[in-house]
Each structure stands twice: as structure tokens, then as C-alpha cells.
Amino acid sequence: MNVRYACIFFYIILLLTLLLTACNDSSPANQATEQHKPSSSSTTMESIPKNNLKDSSQTATAPELPQAKPDIAFKLPFTVESVMIENDILERNTIVSSYKNEDGIVIFSRDFSTTEEIEMEIIEFDTKKNTYVSRYRAAKGMIINTLLSVGNDLFWVENPSNATDNNTPWKIKQMKRDDLDADPVVFAEGISEDQIAVPVLRSTQDEISWIEKKITDHIVKSEAYIYNVKTGIKTKVATQILNEQTKDREGVFLDLQRPIDEGLLIQQTVFENKGANNIKRFDIVLYPKDRSEPEVIVKDREEIYDFTANEQWIVLTMESKTEILDRKTKQLTYSIVHDSSLLGGYTPFIYENLLIYKQSPYIMAVDLTTGNKQRLVQKQGDYTPISNFGDNLTFTRMEYEKEENFAELFFIHLNPSHK
């Protein structure tokens, strides 16, 4: 496994989804397995009529997009902590911490695969003593995806590296984080049929979220869930149906979710048949936690890589730019141009009026009220996408050219008590 590309493993599923959905739609209707890209709306338990959707999205009409200002340093409203690790366990690995406590204990997944065999495990690393223990080792040939620490538990998706007959069985596993003797249990499981990607876990505060897809008689059913780890309440916030029984698809396919305080932002694909015209549209829709009426946040935008929002802002990241929109008007406030020869913007997080996201090859911070932006860390190196746990964001800086056994873990403490 090429270590220089391991840093983008986190969003391989996202890139694969975008590439496959850009393909021609001339395939037979019974190929429900095409990796559909996000589509449009539906409701809580079952899909709601399209005319019931609250569509407040608008397209910016300015002839020229306003640009964010050149890099200007400004005071950050949080603290940034970094921890250096130099250990042989890092060889051929790019790591992103899923958790860190006050004693310097960090948890991350480790890929020690060879060209012949996939092997992965979950490591608990003591950064003060430079020692570690293996908390869990997956069976050979099994992949550990999206390892999260939420509440007092660890969650991850586990699936075989090679699909059988284009079907991939998957399990969401759960394990007590601080109990060294704990064994994982199966929290949820299913089968991703016809090359549909396995679920992607994402978290916010005490909640995890994911989307399941099931196929019955060429009918694809997408269901989006939120699980509150503290209360033990699992909520189905959206259900959508895509009918592939005929050549002309009809319905909605839920793809990827981004949890926010209000619920789930879901990137989805809408297929509509209007007489002789077949429409395929890519939307981002907010499905509230209370299962009230969904809201179309962004309509018919195919090129979006990643996204997030809060009550005031919408952030859309693409290959060559990041767009900042006003949440109420859906109008473009300004854009940030990227170097299109590099990977685009990923893993955006909003804290108050501050945006933090990866713009290869750096981690950027943007003051959304002024448009000022700066590198969050000035050091050169290869940066991973950003992850989160509780009130913390985390990412890693590697120096492959200098030292393959070295990593610098960064932790952004958003909780005021850490300021």
C-alpha cells in the first residue's frame, strides 16, 4: 500500500462516489448498483411528496464571484495542541487520531497491510511513554473504516476488502473505549449490493450518523439514521426510494451525510421523468432531527466534494474553490480559489463564525465575517483530512520525505474550558 496516498484513504468512498456518478446513465435500469451520487429530498419515516419540500435554495447570479482576501493572520478563538510521535508502528502508516485524553492517550486505526494481505487494527498509544497496545485486530482481509470515539464508546465500520458477486457485507461495531478488556459487539449490519458503497460513519457531539441502502426487486431504499450514544435513542430521519425496475429511473438516492446541530445535511441524487425528458439532479437537503419538513439547502450542484452549514453559513468545497453562502438567502458571500492541480477542499467544520477545513496541502482557518484566511499550521508536510470527537477537531502532519516513523498530531479544543 503506497504510503504517499494513504492520507486520502479517509475519503476514498467520497471520491469514488463522485467519479462513478459522473458516468453515463445509459446502463440498464436493473443495475441498481451504480454508485449513485447524492440526490434530492424525502422525509422522516417515508418519502414525502416533492411539492411538500421547503425549497429555499437559490443560485447566485453575480457575474463575477467575490474572492476571499489574501492570507491575513487573525486571532483564533480556540487553542491548538500538537503532540509529536516517533515510533516504528508509524512505518508505512498515515494516522488520524480518533480520541485523546488529558493523560496523553490517543486512539487510532493502523493499517499494516502488505501487498498480499489486508491487515488492520485499533491502537491505543501512550504519547508520554511512547508505548502502545493493540485494542482490537480485525480478521485478515477486513477493513476498518471511519473509526469514531463518541461518548465512552468506539464505533467503526468493518467490511471485507474484496466484494463477492459485487456485494459487500458490512458491520458497524461498537466497543467500550476505556475498558482494555472490552470486546466489540455488532451495533448494526447489512449488505451493500451491486457495488453500492458501505455506510460512512460521521459524528457530532454525542451522536453518530450513517445511511443504509437495501435493494429489493430493483427498488433501492435509502435510510438515514442518527444514534445518540448517551440516551441510546436511534432515530430514522429520512427514507427515500429509487425505482430501477424500468429503464428510466424514478426517485431519490441518499448518498453521504454531514451531521450538524439541526440534523443531517444529505447529498442526494434525484431522478425525475417528465414526459420525454429524464432529469438527474444533485441536491443537498437538510433533514431535521425532529423529522419535520426537509429543506433544500443547495439545488442541482454536481461538483461539490464536501459541505457543511450552521444557522448562519453554508460551506461548499470543490476541486478549485470553496464557496461561502448566506444560510438565510442562499446567496454567495465570497469564494476561495484553490490550486486545481492539488486535491480540493475537504472536511469543513464551522465553529461560531470560523471555518476550518483542509485545502491541500494545508489546513486553513477562515473568518467568515471578514473573509480573512490563514494557514492554521505554518509547518510544511502532508496533512490528513480533519476528524472530530466531542468538542475537538484533529488532524495529522506527516513528513514522508524525511521520516516515515514520525507524525505530529494536532488537536483543536473548541470547548471554552480549554481556551
Side-chain angles (χ1 to χ4, degrees):
M1 186 171 290
N2 193 328
V3 68
R4 299 182 187 280
Y5 295 95
C7 63
I8 62 171
F9 180 81
F10 177 81
Y11 43 78
I12 279 293
I13 295 176
L14 176 59
L15 289 177
L16 180 61
T17 300
L18 296 173
L19 288 173
L20 288 174
T21 53
C23 296
N24 194 311
D25 261 331
S26 60
S27 57
N30 61 357
Q31 292 183 357
T33 67
E34 174 192 359
Q35 189 57 41
H36 308 287
K37 204 193 159 193
S39 38
S40 163
S41 73
S42 185
T43 155
T44 80
M45 301 303 292
E46 292 297 335
S47 58
I48 63 172
K50 296 181 180 66
N51 57 7
N52 285 347
L53 276 178
K54 179 171 60 177
D55 184 356
S56 57
S57 64
Q58 298 181 21
T59 302
T61 58
E64 293 184 3
L65 300 180
Q67 301 296 319
K69 300 175 183 178
D71 287 8
I72 299 175
F74 56 89
K75 182 176 176 57
L76 298 173
F78 48 69
T79 60
V80 180
E81 175 190 6
S82 70
V83 179
M84 303 280 194
I85 297 178
E86 190 168 1
N87 192 287
D88 290 343
I89 198 175
L90 301 178
E91 186 176 359
R92 296 185 295 112
N93 280 274
T94 296
I95 65 171
V96 178
S97 178
S98 299
Y99 171 74
K100 177 184 177 298
N101 67 14
E102 295 179 354
D103 296 323
I105 301 296
V106 298
I107 294 177
F108 53 83
S109 61
R110 173 187 179 233
D111 184 347
F112 58 104
S113 304
T114 64
T115 54
E116 295 81 22
E117 196 87 62
I118 296 292
E119 293 191 78
M120 298 188 69
E121 64 183 340
I122 297 174
I123 294 293
E124 182 175 301
F125 195 99
D126 189 324
T127 61
K128 294 181 179 180
K129 298 179 180 179
N130 200 29
T131 59
Y132 62 89
V133 295
S134 176
R135 291 291 310 276
Y136 170 77
R137 179 171 292 194
K140 291 183 178 180
M142 300 297 289
I143 296 175
I144 295 174
N145 283 310
T146 52
L147 174 65
L148 302 177
S149 174
V150 185
N152 296 317
D153 295 322
L154 297 174
F155 293 87
W156 67 92
V157 177
E158 194 167 312
N159 59 272
S161 58
N162 295 317
T164 303
D165 297 327
N166 292 327
N167 297 331
T168 304
W170 54 265
K171 295 179 179 179
I172 299 177
K173 292 192 172 182
Q174 177 183 13
M175 183 171 69
K176 288 298 179 185
R177 186 191 60 224
D178 301 324
D179 183 356
L180 291 176
D181 298 321
D183 292 321
V185 298
V186 176
F187 174 77
E189 59 185 322
I191 298 177
S192 290
E193 303 175 75
D194 290 342
Q195 301 179 5
I196 291 178
V198 301
V200 174
L201 289 181
R202 284 179 168 167
S203 70
T204 178
Q205 296 301 324
D206 298 318
E207 298 174 336
I208 63 171
S209 64
W210 70 99
I211 300 174
E212 298 183 15
K213 291 100 173 180
K214 301 175 183 177
I215 303 176
T216 305
D217 296 329
H218 306 300
I219 301 292
V220 184
K221 187 177 185 179
S222 303
E223 299 174 306
Y225 294 93
I226 293 176
Y227 175 71
N228 188 298
V229 177
K230 286 194 172 181
T231 65
I233 296 175
K234 176 182 175 182
T235 304
K236 184 191 298 184
V237 298
T239 299
Q240 282 289 9
I241 300 297
L242 175 61
N243 188 337
E244 295 195 321
Q245 292 179 332
T246 63
K247 181 179 180 180
D248 298 326
R249 295 186 178 104
E250 180 77 21
V252 176
F253 183 89
L254 303 180
D255 186 39
L256 286 171
Q257 83 285 0
R258 172 67 69 181
I260 61 175
D261 290 343
E262 299 163 75
L264 294 183
L265 291 177
I266 298 183
Q267 196 176 30
Q268 56 186 26
T269 307
V270 180
F271 296 89
E272 293 181 346
N273 298 321
K274 295 185 177 180
N277 297 322
N278 297 325
I279 298 173
K280 182 180 180 181
R281 190 179 73 245
F282 305 103
D283 298 341
I284 296 176
V285 176
L286 170 63
Y287 291 89
K289 290 180 186 178
D290 61 7
R291 299 184 294 184
S292 58
E293 184 178 348
E295 175 189 354
V296 178
I297 299 295
V298 177
K299 190 171 184 177
D300 200 13
R301 294 288 300 273
E302 183 176 357
E303 77 279 19
I304 297 170
Y305 282 8
D306 211 340
F307 51 94
T308 191
N310 64 4
E311 293 181 353
Q312 186 173 357
W313 307 102
I314 299 171
V315 177
L316 308 174
T317 68
M318 288 152 275
E319 180 182 13
S320 58
K321 64 182 175 182
T322 292
E323 293 184 358
I324 314 299
L325 285 71
D326 182 275
R327 172 69 183 274
K328 293 181 179 179
T329 67
K330 305 299 189 295
Q331 293 296 319
L332 185 68
T333 302
Y334 51 84
S335 64
I336 303 170
V337 176
H338 306 168
D339 183 345
S340 60
S341 67
L342 302 169
L343 290 172
Y346 291 95
T347 53
F349 289 88
I350 300 176
Y351 172 65
E352 296 178 349
N353 288 312
L354 191 81
L355 168 66
I356 305 164
Y357 73 112
K358 178 179 179 179
Q359 178 186 317
S360 293
Y362 306 111
I363 304 296
M364 302 298 296
V366 182
D367 185 334
L368 295 174
T369 61
T370 64
N372 293 339
K373 60 185 175 68
Q374 62 176 304
R375 298 180 193 176
L376 196 63
V377 180
Q378 295 295 327
K379 297 178 181 178
Q380 299 294 321
D382 294 277
Y383 289 89
T384 67
I386 305 168
S387 184
N388 66 296
F389 60 95
D391 292 320
N392 304 275
L393 305 181
T394 179
F395 56 91
T396 305
R397 183 180 71 90
M398 312 289 289
E399 292 186 357
Y400 300 120
E401 299 296 333
K402 296 181 180 179
E403 179 59 70
E404 292 187 353
N405 296 334
F406 163 85
E408 184 175 11
L409 308 181
F410 288 87
F411 301 91
I412 301 174
H413 304 296
L414 302 179
N415 191 308
S417 65
H418 289 100
K419 292 182 181 179

CSV table of all heavy atoms in Angstrom, one decimal, residues 46-82:
chain,number,residue,atom,x,y,z
A,46,GLU,N,-41.0,7.9,5.8
A,46,GLU,CA,-41.2,7.6,4.4
A,46,GLU,C,-41.1,8.8,3.6
A,46,GLU,O,-41.2,9.9,4.1
A,46,GLU,CB,-42.5,6.8,4.1
A,46,GLU,CG,-42.6,5.5,4.7
A,46,GLU,CD,-41.5,4.5,4.2
A,46,GLU,OE1,-41.1,4.7,3.0
A,46,GLU,OE2,-41.2,3.5,4.9
A,47,SER,N,-40.8,8.7,2.3
A,47,SER,CA,-40.6,9.9,1.4
A,47,SER,C,-41.8,10.7,1.4
A,47,SER,O,-42.9,10.2,1.3
A,47,SER,CB,-40.1,9.5,0.0
A,47,SER,OG,-41.1,8.7,-0.6
A,48,ILE,N,-41.7,12.0,1.4
A,48,ILE,CA,-42.8,12.9,1.3
A,48,ILE,C,-42.9,13.4,-0.1
A,48,ILE,O,-42.0,13.4,-0.9
A,48,ILE,CB,-42.6,14.1,2.2
A,48,ILE,CG1,-41.4,15.0,1.8
A,48,ILE,CG2,-42.5,13.7,3.6
A,48,ILE,CD1,-41.3,16.2,2.5
A,49,PRO,N,-44.1,13.9,-0.5
A,49,PRO,CA,-44.3,14.4,-1.9
A,49,PRO,C,-43.3,15.5,-2.2
A,49,PRO,O,-43.0,16.3,-1.3
A,49,PRO,CB,-45.7,14.9,-1.9
A,49,PRO,CG,-46.4,14.1,-0.8
A,49,PRO,CD,-45.3,13.9,0.3
A,50,LYS,N,-42.8,15.6,-3.4
A,50,LYS,CA,-41.8,16.6,-3.7
A,50,LYS,C,-42.3,18.0,-3.5
A,50,LYS,O,-41.6,18.9,-3.2
A,50,LYS,CB,-41.4,16.4,-5.2
A,50,LYS,CG,-40.7,15.1,-5.4
A,50,LYS,CD,-40.3,15.0,-6.9
A,50,LYS,CE,-39.6,13.6,-7.1
A,50,LYS,NZ,-40.5,12.5,-7.0
A,51,ASN,N,-43.7,18.2,-3.7
A,51,ASN,CA,-44.2,19.6,-3.6
A,51,ASN,C,-44.3,20.0,-2.1
A,51,ASN,O,-44.7,21.1,-1.8
A,51,ASN,CB,-45.5,19.7,-4.3
A,51,ASN,CG,-46.6,18.7,-3.8
A,51,ASN,OD1,-46.3,18.0,-2.8
A,51,ASN,ND2,-47.7,18.6,-4.5
A,52,ASN,N,-44.0,19.1,-1.2
A,52,ASN,CA,-44.0,19.4,0.2
A,52,ASN,C,-42.7,19.9,0.7
A,52,ASN,O,-42.6,20.3,1.9
A,52,ASN,CB,-44.5,18.3,1.1
A,52,ASN,CG,-46.0,18.0,1.0
A,52,ASN,OD1,-46.7,18.9,0.4
A,52,ASN,ND2,-46.4,16.9,1.4
A,53,LEU,N,-41.7,19.8,-0.1
A,53,LEU,CA,-40.3,20.2,0.3
A,53,LEU,C,-40.2,21.7,0.4
A,53,LEU,O,-40.7,22.4,-0.5
A,53,LEU,CB,-39.3,19.7,-0.7
A,53,LEU,CG,-38.8,18.3,-0.5
A,53,LEU,CD1,-37.8,17.9,-1.6
A,53,LEU,CD2,-38.2,18.1,0.9
A,54,LYS,N,-39.6,22.1,1.4
A,54,LYS,CA,-39.3,23.6,1.6
A,54,LYS,C,-38.0,23.9,0.8
A,54,LYS,O,-36.9,23.5,1.3
A,54,LYS,CB,-39.1,23.9,3.1
A,54,LYS,CG,-38.8,25.4,3.3
A,54,LYS,CD,-38.9,25.7,4.8
A,54,LYS,CE,-37.9,24.9,5.6
A,54,LYS,NZ,-37.9,25.2,7.0
A,55,ASP,N,-38.1,24.5,-0.3
A,55,ASP,CA,-37.0,24.8,-1.2
A,55,ASP,C,-36.6,26.2,-1.1
A,55,ASP,O,-37.3,27.1,-1.7
A,55,ASP,CB,-37.3,24.4,-2.7
A,55,ASP,CG,-36.1,24.6,-3.6
A,55,ASP,OD1,-35.1,25.1,-3.1
A,55,ASP,OD2,-36.3,24.3,-4.8
A,56,SER,N,-35.6,26.5,-0.3
A,56,SER,CA,-35.2,27.9,-0.1
A,56,SER,C,-33.9,28.1,-0.8
A,56,SER,O,-33.2,29.1,-0.6
A,56,SER,CB,-35.1,28.3,1.4
A,56,SER,OG,-34.2,27.4,2.0
A,57,SER,N,-33.4,27.2,-1.6
A,57,SER,CA,-32.2,27.3,-2.3
A,57,SER,C,-32.3,28.3,-3.5
A,57,SER,O,-33.3,28.4,-4.1
A,57,SER,CB,-31.7,26.0,-2.8
A,57,SER,OG,-32.6,25.5,-3.8
A,58,GLN,N,-31.2,29.0,-3.7
A,58,GLN,CA,-31.1,30.0,-4.8
A,58,GLN,C,-29.8,29.9,-5.5
A,58,GLN,O,-28.8,29.5,-4.8
A,58,GLN,CB,-31.4,31.4,-4.4
A,58,GLN,CG,-32.8,31.6,-3.8
A,58,GLN,CD,-33.0,33.0,-3.3
A,58,GLN,OE1,-32.4,33.9,-3.8
A,58,GLN,NE2,-34.0,33.2,-2.4
A,59,THR,N,-29.7,30.3,-6.7
A,59,THR,CA,-28.4,30.3,-7.4
A,59,THR,C,-27.8,31.7,-7.4
A,59,THR,O,-28.5,32.6,-7.9
A,59,THR,CB,-28.5,29.7,-8.8
A,59,THR,OG1,-29.0,28.4,-8.7
A,59,THR,CG2,-27.2,29.7,-9.5
A,60,ALA,N,-26.6,31.9,-7.0
A,60,ALA,CA,-26.0,33.2,-7.1
A,60,ALA,C,-25.9,33.6,-8.5
A,60,ALA,O,-25.5,32.9,-9.4
A,60,ALA,CB,-24.6,33.2,-6.5
A,61,THR,N,-26.3,34.9,-8.8
A,61,THR,CA,-26.3,35.4,-10.2
A,61,THR,C,-25.2,36.5,-10.4
A,61,THR,O,-25.2,37.1,-11.5
A,61,THR,CB,-27.7,36.0,-10.5
A,61,THR,OG1,-28.0,37.0,-9.5
A,61,THR,CG2,-28.7,34.9,-10.4
A,62,ALA,N,-24.4,36.7,-9.5
A,62,ALA,CA,-23.3,37.7,-9.7
A,62,ALA,C,-22.5,37.3,-10.9
A,62,ALA,O,-22.1,36.2,-11.0
A,62,ALA,CB,-22.5,37.9,-8.4
A,63,PRO,N,-22.2,38.3,-11.8
A,63,PRO,CA,-21.4,37.9,-12.9
A,63,PRO,C,-20.0,37.5,-12.6
A,63,PRO,O,-19.4,36.7,-13.3
A,63,PRO,CB,-21.3,39.2,-13.7
A,63,PRO,CG,-21.6,40.3,-12.7
A,63,PRO,CD,-22.6,39.7,-11.7
A,64,GLU,N,-19.4,38.0,-11.5
A,64,GLU,CA,-18.1,37.5,-11.0
A,64,GLU,C,-18.2,37.2,-9.6
A,64,GLU,O,-18.8,38.0,-8.8
A,64,GLU,CB,-17.1,38.6,-11.3
A,64,GLU,CG,-16.8,38.9,-12.7
A,64,GLU,CD,-15.7,39.9,-12.9
A,64,GLU,OE1,-15.1,40.3,-11.9
A,64,GLU,OE2,-15.4,40.3,-14.1
A,65,LEU,N,-17.6,36.0,-9.2
A,65,LEU,CA,-17.7,35.6,-7.8
A,65,LEU,C,-16.8,36.5,-7.0
A,65,LEU,O,-15.6,36.7,-7.3
A,65,LEU,CB,-17.3,34.2,-7.7
A,65,LEU,CG,-18.1,33.2,-8.5
A,65,LEU,CD1,-17.6,31.8,-8.3
A,65,LEU,CD2,-19.6,33.2,-8.1
A,66,PRO,N,-17.2,37.0,-5.9
A,66,PRO,CA,-16.3,37.8,-5.0
A,66,PRO,C,-15.3,36.8,-4.4
A,66,PRO,O,-15.6,35.7,-4.0
A,66,PRO,CB,-17.3,38.3,-3.9
A,66,PRO,CG,-18.5,37.4,-3.9
A,66,PRO,CD,-18.6,36.9,-5.3
A,67,GLN,N,-14.1,37.3,-4.3
A,67,GLN,CA,-13.0,36.4,-3.8
A,67,GLN,C,-12.7,36.8,-2.3
A,67,GLN,O,-12.8,37.9,-1.9
A,67,GLN,CB,-11.7,36.7,-4.6
A,67,GLN,CG,-11.9,36.4,-6.1
A,67,GLN,CD,-12.3,34.9,-6.3
A,67,GLN,OE1,-11.7,34.0,-5.7
A,67,GLN,NE2,-13.2,34.6,-7.2
A,68,ALA,N,-12.3,35.7,-1.6
A,68,ALA,CA,-11.8,36.0,-0.2
A,68,ALA,C,-10.4,36.7,-0.3
A,68,ALA,O,-9.7,36.7,-1.3
A,68,ALA,CB,-11.6,34.7,0.5
A,69,LYS,N,-10.1,37.4,0.8
A,69,LYS,CA,-8.9,38.2,0.8
A,69,LYS,C,-7.6,37.3,0.8
A,69,LYS,O,-7.7,36.1,1.2
A,69,LYS,CB,-8.9,39.1,2.0
A,69,LYS,CG,-10.1,40.0,2.0
A,69,LYS,CD,-10.1,40.8,3.4
A,69,LYS,CE,-11.3,41.7,3.4
A,69,LYS,NZ,-11.4,42.4,4.7
A,70,PRO,N,-6.5,37.8,0.5
A,70,PRO,CA,-5.2,37.1,0.6
A,70,PRO,C,-5.0,36.7,2.1
A,70,PRO,O,-5.7,37.3,3.0
A,70,PRO,CB,-4.1,38.0,0.2
A,70,PRO,CG,-4.9,39.0,-0.7
A,70,PRO,CD,-6.2,39.1,-0.1
A,71,ASP,N,-4.1,35.8,2.3
A,71,ASP,CA,-3.9,35.3,3.7
A,71,ASP,C,-3.6,36.5,4.6
A,71,ASP,O,-2.7,37.3,4.4
A,71,ASP,CB,-2.8,34.3,3.8
A,71,ASP,CG,-3.2,33.0,3.2
A,71,ASP,OD1,-4.3,32.9,2.6
A,71,ASP,OD2,-2.4,32.0,3.3
A,72,ILE,N,-4.4,36.6,5.7
A,72,ILE,CA,-4.2,37.6,6.7
A,72,ILE,C,-4.4,37.0,8.1
A,72,ILE,O,-5.4,36.4,8.4
A,72,ILE,CB,-5.3,38.7,6.6
A,72,ILE,CG1,-5.2,39.4,5.2
A,72,ILE,CG2,-5.2,39.8,7.7
A,72,ILE,CD1,-6.3,40.4,4.9
A,73,ALA,N,-3.3,37.1,8.9
A,73,ALA,CA,-3.4,36.5,10.2
A,73,ALA,C,-4.4,37.2,11.1
A,73,ALA,O,-4.6,38.4,11.0
A,73,ALA,CB,-2.0,36.6,10.8
A,74,PHE,N,-5.1,36.4,11.9
A,74,PHE,CA,-6.1,36.9,12.8
A,74,PHE,C,-6.1,36.0,14.1
A,74,PHE,O,-5.6,34.8,14.0
A,74,PHE,CB,-7.5,37.0,12.2
A,74,PHE,CG,-8.0,35.8,11.7
A,74,PHE,CD1,-8.7,34.9,12.4
A,74,PHE,CD2,-7.8,35.4,10.3
A,74,PHE,CE1,-9.2,33.7,11.9
A,74,PHE,CE2,-8.3,34.2,9.8
A,74,PHE,CZ,-9.0,33.4,10.6
A,75,LYS,N,-6.6,36.5,15.2
A,75,LYS,CA,-6.6,35.8,16.4
A,75,LYS,C,-7.6,34.6,16.3
A,75,LYS,O,-8.8,34.8,16.0
A,75,LYS,CB,-6.9,36.7,17.6
A,75,LYS,CG,-6.9,36.0,18.9
A,75,LYS,CD,-7.2,37.0,20.1
A,75,LYS,CE,-7.2,36.3,21.4
A,75,LYS,NZ,-6.0,35.5,21.7
A,76,LEU,N,-7.2,33.4,16.7
A,76,LEU,CA,-8.1,32.2,16.7
A,76,LEU,C,-8.8,32.1,18.0
A,76,LEU,O,-8.2,32.3,19.1
A,76,LEU,CB,-7.3,31.0,16.4
A,76,LEU,CG,-6.5,30.9,15.1
A,76,LEU,CD1,-5.6,29.7,15.0
A,76,LEU,CD2,-7.5,30.9,13.9
A,77,PRO,N,-10.1,31.8,17.9
A,77,PRO,CA,-10.9,31.7,19.2
A,77,PRO,C,-10.8,30.4,19.9
A,77,PRO,O,-11.8,29.9,20.5
A,77,PRO,CB,-12.3,32.0,18.7
A,77,PRO,CG,-12.3,31.4,17.3
A,77,PRO,CD,-11.0,31.6,16.7
A,78,PHE,N,-9.7,29.7,19.7
A,78,PHE,CA,-9.5,28.4,20.4
A,78,PHE,C,-8.1,28.1,20.5
A,78,PHE,O,-7.2,28.8,20.0
A,78,PHE,CB,-10.2,27.3,19.5
A,78,PHE,CG,-9.9,27.3,18.1
A,78,PHE,CD1,-8.6,27.0,17.6
A,78,PHE,CD2,-10.8,27.7,17.2
A,78,PHE,CE1,-8.3,27.0,16.3
A,78,PHE,CE2,-10.5,27.7,15.8
A,78,PHE,CZ,-9.2,27.4,15.4
A,79,THR,N,-7.7,27.0,21.2
A,79,THR,CA,-6.4,26.6,21.4
A,79,THR,C,-6.1,25.4,20.4
A,79,THR,O,-6.9,24.6,20.1
A,79,THR,CB,-6.1,26.2,22.8
A,79,THR,OG1,-6.9,25.1,23.2
A,79,THR,CG2,-6.3,27.3,23.8
A,80,VAL,N,-4.8,25.4,20.0
A,80,VAL,CA,-4.4,24.2,19.2
A,80,VAL,C,-3.2,23.6,19.9
A,80,VAL,O,-2.2,24.2,20.2
A,80,VAL,CB,-3.9,24.7,17.8
A,80,VAL,CG1,-3.4,23.6,16.9
A,80,VAL,CG2,-5.0,25.5,17.1
A,81,GLU,N,-3.4,22.3,20.1
A,81,GLU,CA,-2.3,21.5,20.8
A,81,GLU,C,-1.7,20.5,19.8
A,81,GLU,O,-2.4,20.0,18.9
A,81,GLU,CB,-2.9,20.7,21.9
A,81,GLU,CG,-2.0,19.8,22.6
A,81,GLU,CD,-2.7,18.8,23.6
A,81,GLU,OE1,-3.9,18.9,23.7
A,81,GLU,OE2,-2.0,18.1,24.3
A,82,SER,N,-0.4,20.3,19.8
A,82,SER,CA,0.2,19.3,19.0
A,82,SER,C,1.0,18.3,19.8
A,82,SER,O,1.6,18.7,20.8
A,82,SER,CB,1.1,20.0,17.9
A,82,SER,OG,2.3,20.5,18.5
